[in-house]
């Protein structure tokens, strides 16, 4: 069943829909969205089980793609540029494959159409995601009084300060003053294997080659999500796809190198 997604809208001009990644929200894209809104009508969506969008018992790419289709209907959007990062990039690929008539161009940020559970564990973040969701699920927020306490708890297994700060953006207070997650942690934990594995080469087998809209992949050169060995598989699905590299950027390339990322996005749109 579709859920009605919350979103932020800014700017005017051709439509651009931006889809965040796992543990993300529309808030993570406000800076990029503000710049793009000088030329486009930008919609920053909160995917199901994230941000202020409704929770749901299912978290598959089929379901998320249908949510986006419902958003297009609700907002009377005929077509749009679709930009998706990480999990949102897979949602974008899925949606574009199912609804090609609604896509002006597809921009995928730092994710490949592959099953990441099959990646060498030394190069995969699957175990990291398991650790994160187990931590979030085990924490009794009713006993917590400050964000610092939550950070100290996360630090027991997560050394990266930036990652902890990113996760802490998902904390909010209830009307009673208690902390709660803006994430549907139990459902994300249950569906993590599917989030990591789906929208892979096998899924595209009866859909390729995809040629109805321009496609660009943007990758951070410090990230391991799109490796050189992934490019042939990308080209097999999207023969005309462009690959743009962002130097000195990891997986959160839009936050680490915002100017270069914006240049890449704008070049994709102009090329399309």
């Amino acid at each position: 069943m579709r859920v009605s997604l919350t979103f932020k809208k800014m700017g005017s001009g051709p439509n651009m829909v931006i889809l965040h990644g796992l543990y993300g929200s529309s808030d993570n894209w406000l800076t990029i969205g503000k710049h793009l809104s000088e030329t486009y009508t930008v919609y920053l969506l909160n995917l199901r089980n994230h941000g202020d969008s409704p929770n749901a018992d299912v978290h598959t790419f089929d379901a998320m793609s249908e949510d986006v289709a419902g958003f297009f209907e609700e907002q009377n959007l005929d077509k749009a540029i679709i930009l998706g990062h990480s999990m949102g990039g897979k949602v974008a690929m899925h949606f574009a494959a199912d609804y090609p008539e609604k896509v002006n161009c597809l921009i995928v940020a730092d994710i490949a159409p592959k099953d990441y559970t099959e990646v060498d564990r030394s190069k995969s973040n699957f175990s990291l995601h398991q650790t994160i969701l187990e931590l979030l699920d085990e924490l009794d927020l009713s006993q917590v009084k400050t964000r610092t306490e939550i950070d100290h708890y996360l630090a027991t297994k997560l050394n990266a300060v930036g990652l902890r700060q990113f996760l802490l953006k998902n904390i909010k207070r209830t009307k009673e003053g208690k902390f709660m997650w803006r994430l549907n942690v139990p459902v994300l934990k249950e569906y993590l294997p599917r989030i990591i594995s789906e929208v892979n080469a096998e899924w595209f087998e009866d859909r390729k080659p995809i040629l109805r809209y321009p496609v660009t992949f943007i990758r951070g050169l410090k990230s391991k999500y799109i490796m050189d060995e992934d490019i042939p598989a990308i080209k097999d699905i999207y023969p005309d796809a462009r690959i743009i590299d962002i130097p000195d950027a990891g997986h959160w390339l839009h936050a680490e190198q915002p100017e270069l990322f914006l240049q890449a996005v704008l070049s994709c749109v102009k090329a399309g």
Side-chain angles (χ1 to χ4, degrees):
M1 181 182 295
R2 288 178 176 176
V3 303
S4 184
L5 303 177
T6 61
F7 64 97
K8 291 181 171 67
K9 178 182 177 181
M10 57 186 75
S12 61
N15 298 318
M16 180 181 290
V17 172
I18 300 181
L19 308 174
H20 62 77
L22 186 60
Y23 321 123
S25 72
S26 60
D27 291 350
N28 306 141
W29 287 85
L30 286 172
T31 300
I32 294 294
K34 183 177 179 181
H35 286 286
L36 291 170
S37 70
E38 295 173 5
T39 310
Y40 301 97
T41 301
V42 178
Y43 297 88
L44 306 175
L45 274 58
N46 289 303
L47 296 171
R48 62 169 54 201
N49 298 316
H50 289 74
D52 296 320
S53 279
N55 285 343
D57 293 334
V58 172
H59 197 87
T60 62
F61 288 101
D62 284 338
M64 288 185 279
S65 177
E66 285 305 301
D67 291 345
V68 175
F71 172 80
F72 270 64
E73 290 180 12
E74 291 170 5
Q75 299 302 312
N76 295 312
L77 300 185
D78 183 33
K79 300 187 77 171
I81 300 156
I82 310 294
L83 164 59
H85 172 246
S86 197
M87 179 186 74
K90 284 196 167 187
V91 177
M93 285 186 272
H94 193 302
F95 173 79
D98 282 352
Y99 297 93
E101 72 282 358
K102 297 183 180 297
V103 180
N104 281 322
C105 68
L106 170 64
I107 304 170
V108 180
D110 214 57
I111 198 79
K114 73 176 185 179
D115 180 347
Y116 283 87
T117 61
E118 296 179 351
V119 176
D120 179 349
R121 286 299 174 113
S122 66
K123 298 179 181 179
S124 170
N125 281 325
F126 185 33
S127 59
L128 172 62
H129 289 303
Q130 287 180 312
T131 298
I132 289 171
L133 288 167
E134 285 169 4
L135 275 171
L136 303 191
D137 197 31
E138 291 169 2
L139 177 59
D140 184 358
L141 287 175
S142 68
Q143 303 301 311
V144 173
K145 294 182 179 179
T146 68
R147 287 175 181 267
T148 301
E149 288 180 59
I150 301 172
D151 184 48
H152 287 165
Y153 168 79
L154 295 176
T156 60
K157 292 187 179 180
L158 301 175
N159 293 326
V161 175
L163 174 58
R164 298 201 307 270
Q165 291 175 338
F166 175 64
L167 293 171
L168 285 169
K169 291 180 180 178
N170 286 294
I171 284 287
K172 69 176 183 179
R173 286 189 184 271
T174 65
K175 293 179 181 178
E176 295 74 31
K178 298 290 187 180
F179 285 115
M180 67 174 291
W181 293 112
R182 299 172 69 203
L183 301 166
N184 189 348
V185 174
V187 168
L188 294 178
K189 182 179 176 182
E190 177 186 353
Y191 279 86
L192 180 63
R194 297 183 67 170
I195 296 169
I196 298 297
S197 66
E198 290 183 349
V199 192
N200 52 41
E202 182 180 353
W203 185 82
F204 281 100
E205 193 60 39
D206 61 353
R207 295 168 170 85
K208 66 184 186 183
I210 293 177
L211 298 164
R212 286 189 59 181
Y213 41 83
V215 179
T216 299
F217 286 77
I218 306 174
R219 62 174 180 166
L221 288 182
K222 288 185 175 180
S223 172
K224 295 180 179 179
Y225 277 83
I226 302 180
M227 307 297 286
D228 287 344
E229 56 261 34
D230 296 323
I231 294 177
I234 290 172
K235 291 285 192 175
D236 185 47
I237 299 166
Y238 305 105
D240 296 333
R242 301 168 71 219
I243 312 290
I244 297 180
D245 296 336
I246 305 291
D248 297 319
H251 188 53
W252 284 278
L253 62 177
H254 58 291
E256 296 168 29
Q257 293 285 0
E259 291 185 10
L260 292 178
F261 183 79
L262 279 166
Q263 290 175 16
V265 169
L266 293 171
S267 73
C268 300
V269 176
K270 290 174 184 175

